[in-house]
Amino acid sequence: MLSRELFWGIESGWVTYLLGALVIAILGYLYHFKIVRWRSGQEEKASINWKDQTLQLLRNMLSQRLLDDQKTWGIMHIFVFYGFIILFLGTCTLMIDSHIGHFLFGNTFVIFKLILNTAGLLAMIGIVLLFLRRYMLKTAKGENNIKTLLSLVLPFLVLITGFLVEGSRLAINTGDNYGWQFWAFPVYPVVKLVEPLGRDAATTAHVLSWWTHMFISFLTITALAWTKLSHIALVPLNLFHQALQAPGRLREIELSEDYFGTENLSGFTRTQLISIDACVSAGQCEINCPAFNSGKALSPRTIMEKMQKISNSETALVGDIITEEELWACTTCGACQQKCPVLSNPVEKIIDLRRYQVMALGNMPQTWQGALMSLQRRGHPWNAATRSRLDWAKGLDVPVAAEKKQFDVLFWVGCTGALIDRNIKVSQAIVKLLQYCGIDFAILGNEESCTCHMARRAGDEYLYQEMAEKNCSVLNQYAFNTIITACPHCYHTLKNEYALPDVQVLSHAVYLRELIEKGLLKIKTAAHPENTTYHDPCYYGRMNGIYEQPRELCKLAGANLIENEKSREKSFCCGGGGGGIWLDDKPGARIFETRAKQLLEKGNIETIATACPFCITMLETAVSNLEADNVKVKDIAELLANQIQDR
């Protein structure tokens, strides 16, 4: 009967149990140092939802998020991942068969070996191609040091020696049915290679390959702590803690005399320290980073690698390790967070480092100082603005909340929409649409203050918390059901970071689309459709999944919509987020110019449509700098306001 005896042909095989226990002890000892490093961080205040986080962890791991952008290499990683998962489960099954109940015999054993050998073969193919990618094609990111090399070589040797063990065993003892070797096709060449050597030589080869296989296997287990193979343990641990984190949502922190942001590793939370160690240098963050791709110093991957190498948790991070130029270049667009296969989220680390620089040291780019001072004194960042928050609404008969007290919809205008000439046109277009539809709405007017989305991501957490408390206090004075806003940054903050129970927060894109579906907003087709491309604002698209409604509105307004290559989930930031709109960007490294060139690459583009006041500002500046005078930049509300049907 076809089967396999445990430790077949091996004397004192039981010693491997002792060696296995020793190896596990060594692995635990090595991870002790990592745990000490993690425990030096701040204790996480959020509680663990074991069920939801475990389910999300399994979804992320089993779907292998590396497939998202690099399908070829992602498939190779899947070969390796599932190959070793199957081999591990097969080893456990064999142990159960040997020590608890014998069930692997006959055709069951043949199928069992076929599955394991196929898994091993695919894993070998995956490792070889990943090796070629890194060392021959040289397209993989990260350092090519000895630890990286061993993370590929050791698993490959485990597989090779495993096939040698089985092949030499089959050459000695084929069992009752010689023909079953056909189903062990990955090791069949080994059998044919060893058989001519004779039984004695085959036996020697079997014993040598068996002990070599066990030694390399045990060495590989210890390598889970000291090579890139550590991601096998660290990535699931990080995915478990990060899985339920909403895109772009910053964790709540308590400011105190002891905490004003992060100066060193010990200032991060324990889960953040885990996520730093879990970074695998896949490079997807770098590939999709607008700052990096515009020639700036920032590379999210490099920042994570720098922090991984620090041995002293009290070492100051900003200065010699992370430069100020790197720190302030981030637009917090979230591309690195979205594209990272292990959810390491460099953005939150950068913001924590900014907090210490701004709040503890008073250190920030000079061009930010005026904006933050204006926020403190005037409730908005536009230091040079001379308008009041109600000037834009003169002559439009716009109702104010203080006069109505109760209404259905609150139109949150935002600082830019109320104070900057170009964006006032967008606010007026929205009012025109709301009045056309007969919506019971109001604005806060002079009671409205900045949501401080930008200030928070620039590092001024204190100002954000102060302004958030003030805004929530104002909102609680009135009775309404829905807030709409034309600013994605206000939208994200009101929806995801303010505590607004029983209030629905909608982007103007989603709300206007609903009005059309209800038949309240009637749009006529443009007589002369223009070639239009849509630019996805980061905090509508990437952070909150609003992709379809703006495009539908463009089409309904009669635009001939032409998608650009960097759109939807792959959209490229305009450069205005995270305080970028206040930076004095250098020529040759201007993110907004890089983005404008992308938008104008395809077709004879006449209009760039978007849905964000900062995107409008940045893209209009870029279009002007590029001397593309025939291209207009418009908000989706402006497109609709020009096409409403006469009643």
Side-chain angles (χ1 to χ4, degrees):
M1 182 69 69
L2 282 175
S3 183
R4 184 165 82 82
E5 177 188 344
L6 187 65
F7 303 136
W8 186 91
I10 304 297
E11 295 182 5
S12 304
W14 58 268
V15 173
T16 55
Y17 291 120
L18 298 178
L19 293 175
L22 177 62
V23 165
I24 296 299
I26 293 172
L27 185 65
Y29 176 74
L30 294 175
Y31 264 92
H32 166 74
F33 295 103
K34 292 184 183 294
I35 293 171
V36 169
R37 169 183 160 107
W38 300 337
R39 290 185 64 84
S40 70
Q42 306 294 311
E43 187 174 353
E44 192 71 61
K45 292 180 174 57
S47 60
I48 294 177
N49 185 326
W50 289 97
K51 178 183 177 182
D52 291 346
Q53 288 179 238
T54 301
L55 290 175
Q56 188 68 14
L57 162 66
L58 292 174
R59 279 193 289 267
N60 278 324
M61 286 189 62
L62 296 179
S63 65
Q64 286 291 280
R65 298 176 76 251
L66 275 170
L67 273 176
D68 289 350
D69 288 288
Q70 297 196 346
K71 288 185 170 53
T72 300
W73 306 117
I75 291 172
M76 295 305 103
H77 192 276
I78 279 183
F79 283 178
V80 178
F81 175 78
Y82 278 106
F84 274 95
I85 288 290
I86 292 171
L87 290 171
F88 173 75
L89 294 176
T91 301
C92 293
T93 302
L94 185 61
M95 297 298 292
I96 294 171
D97 175 78
S98 301
H99 295 293
I100 298 178
H102 186 50
F103 57 89
L104 290 177
F105 53 82
N107 290 335
T108 301
F109 178 73
V110 172
I111 295 171
F112 173 76
K113 295 303 298 181
L114 173 64
I115 293 173
L116 263 60
N117 287 333
T118 303
L121 179 62
L122 291 176
M124 282 182 59
I125 292 171
I127 292 173
V128 168
L129 292 179
L130 290 174
F131 178 88
L132 292 175
R133 176 200 182 198
R134 178 169 290 277
Y135 292 98
M136 303 300 177
L137 301 178
K138 297 184 178 180
T139 58
K141 301 292 182 180
E143 294 180 315
N144 289 336
N145 53 32
I146 186 64
K147 292 182 179 180
T148 304
L149 179 62
L150 287 174
S151 68
L152 292 171
V153 171
L154 287 177
F156 182 79
L157 291 177
V158 169
L159 296 170
I160 283 289
T161 55
F163 283 143
L164 287 174
V165 169
E166 185 175 1
S168 58
R169 181 175 64 248
L170 288 176
I172 300 167
N173 180 20
T174 60
D176 296 332
N177 182 5
Y178 188 86
W180 90 269
Q181 292 179 9
F182 172 78
W183 299 105
F185 64 91
V187 298
Y188 195 59
V190 178
V191 176
K192 291 302 179 184
L193 185 66
V194 173
E195 274 184 330
L197 300 178
R199 185 177 181 85
D200 290 343
T203 300
T204 302
H206 175 68
V207 172
L208 288 175
S209 60
W210 193 91
W211 283 108
T212 302
H213 175 68
M214 296 309 299
F215 172 77
I216 295 174
S217 296
F218 287 148
L219 181 62
T220 303
I221 291 173
T222 68
L224 294 177
W226 53 273
T227 71
K228 285 291 185 181
L229 289 175
S230 62
H231 79 278
I232 294 173
L234 296 178
V235 169
L237 183 59
N238 182 58
L239 288 176
F240 175 79
H241 285 288
Q242 302 289 333
L244 298 182
Q245 182 171 320
R249 182 175 182 175
L250 301 183
R251 62 189 177 88
E252 296 298 324
I253 64 171
E254 293 181 8
L255 299 178
S256 65
E257 294 180 358
D258 299 324
Y259 182 80
F260 276 98
T262 299
E263 179 186 16
N264 44 44
L265 287 179
S266 62
F268 289 120
T269 67
R270 293 170 183 178
T271 56
Q272 285 178 317
L273 292 176
I274 292 172
S275 72
I276 290 171
D277 285 345
C279 172
V280 294
S281 299
Q284 289 303 302
C285 55
E286 189 178 82
I287 291 170
N288 292 280
C289 175
F292 180 83
N293 285 282
S294 297
K296 295 189 178 297
L298 173 64
S299 163
R301 175 183 63 83
T302 302
I303 283 184
M304 299 295 280
E305 288 177 345
K306 287 177 179 178
M307 292 192 290
Q308 282 181 338
K309 295 175 182 178
I310 297 172
S311 57
N312 185 350
S313 295
E314 301 303 318
T315 301
L317 295 173
V318 179
D320 295 334
I321 298 172
I322 298 172
T323 66
E324 291 187 9
E325 188 178 357
E326 290 175 284
L327 188 67
W328 306 120
C330 177
T331 67
T332 71
C333 70
C336 58
Q337 177 184 1
Q338 181 192 49
K339 297 299 182 180
C340 177
V342 301
L343 299 179
S344 63
N345 197 355
V347 172
E348 66 173 4
K349 284 77 173 176
I350 289 173
I351 292 175
D352 274 343
L353 292 172
R354 285 180 174 183
R355 285 170 174 159
Y356 184 80
Q357 295 297 308
V358 172
M359 293 189 293
L361 304 180
N363 180 30
M364 69 191 81
Q366 188 174 1
T367 50
W368 286 13
Q369 293 176 7
L372 293 178
M373 287 179 63
S374 180
L375 270 169
Q376 290 174 337
R377 296 172 181 175
R378 307 170 68 190
H380 65 76
W382 303 113
N383 195 37
T386 58
R387 298 174 179 272
S388 78
R389 286 185 178 268
L390 278 173
D391 286 348
W392 68 273
K394 288 180 179 178
L396 297 180
D397 193 25
V398 179
V400 178
E403 299 171 357
K404 292 192 70 172
K405 301 296 183 183
Q406 186 171 345
F407 40 89
D408 184 39
V409 174
L410 174 68
F411 174 29
W412 186 279
V413 183
C415 306
T416 310
L419 302 170
I420 303 302
D421 289 346
R422 171 61 186 90
N423 297 102
I424 283 174
K425 296 176 182 178
V426 178
S427 301
Q428 292 171 339
I430 291 174
V431 166
K432 180 180 178 180
L433 295 169
L434 294 176
Q435 291 175 336
Y436 174 89
C437 296
I439 302 301
D440 177 23
F441 77 100
I443 64 172
L444 289 176
N446 290 327
E447 288 189 289
E448 184 181 294
S449 295
C450 184
T451 60
C452 275
H453 176 278
M454 289 291 201
R456 190 180 200 198
R457 282 149 183 81
D460 200 335
E461 178 70 19
Y462 177 82
L463 183 57
Y464 162 77
Q465 292 189 14
E466 181 182 51
M467 204 71 78
E469 184 178 354
K470 177 182 176 182
N471 283 328
C472 288
S473 177
V474 171
L475 290 171
N476 289 334
Q477 296 177 23
Y478 303 110
F480 55 89
N481 300 312
T482 302
I483 297 177
I484 66 165
T485 181
C487 176
H489 303 274
C490 293
Y491 167 78
H492 181 82
T493 305
L494 292 167
K495 183 176 187 293
N496 298 317
E497 296 181 356
Y498 278 19
L500 299 174
D502 303 322
V503 175
Q504 184 182 34
V505 182
L506 296 176
S507 71
H508 71 312
V510 171
Y511 187 71
L512 293 173
R513 185 69 185 92
E514 288 182 359
L515 292 179
I516 292 174
E517 290 176 354
K518 293 176 181 178
L520 296 175
L521 180 55
K522 300 183 183 298
I523 302 299
K524 60 184 178 182
T525 304
H528 303 288
E530 294 185 346
N531 290 341
T532 302
T533 191
Y534 178 72
H535 164 75
D536 290 278
C538 301
Y539 280 85
Y540 268 178
R542 184 175 293 113
M543 300 302 188
N544 289 285
I546 301 173
Y547 295 113
E548 299 304 327
Q549 294 91 338
R551 288 172 168 78
E552 291 171 1
L553 294 179
C554 290
K555 293 176 183 177
L556 288 169
N560 178 29
L561 196 62
I562 300 173
E563 288 286 0
N564 59 86
E565 183 178 351
K566 293 286 186 178
S567 65
R568 299 180 186 270
E569 292 85 355
K570 297 180 180 180
S571 184
F572 196 91
C573 180
C574 74
I581 197 166
W582 302 326
L583 285 177
D584 184 16
D585 217 350
K586 298 178 182 178
R590 288 173 168 162
I591 297 174
F592 55 87
E593 290 181 357
T594 303
R595 180 52 174 158
K597 290 175 183 177
Q598 294 171 351
L599 293 168
L600 299 177
E601 278 177 351
K602 187 180 291 186
N604 182 24
I605 300 299
E606 300 169 88
T607 301
I608 297 174
T610 189
C612 172
F614 297 117
C615 294
I616 289 175
T617 299
M618 304 302 280
L619 293 175
E620 282 195 338
T621 303
V623 166
S624 176
N625 291 351
L626 297 173
E627 297 182 354
D629 299 329
N630 60 318
V631 178
K632 301 179 288 294
V633 181
K634 290 188 175 182
D635 188 273
I636 52 176
E638 293 178 294
L639 298 179
L640 291 177
N642 290 333
Q643 298 302 128
I644 56 177
Q645 294 182 10
D646 298 331
R647 288 197 180 277

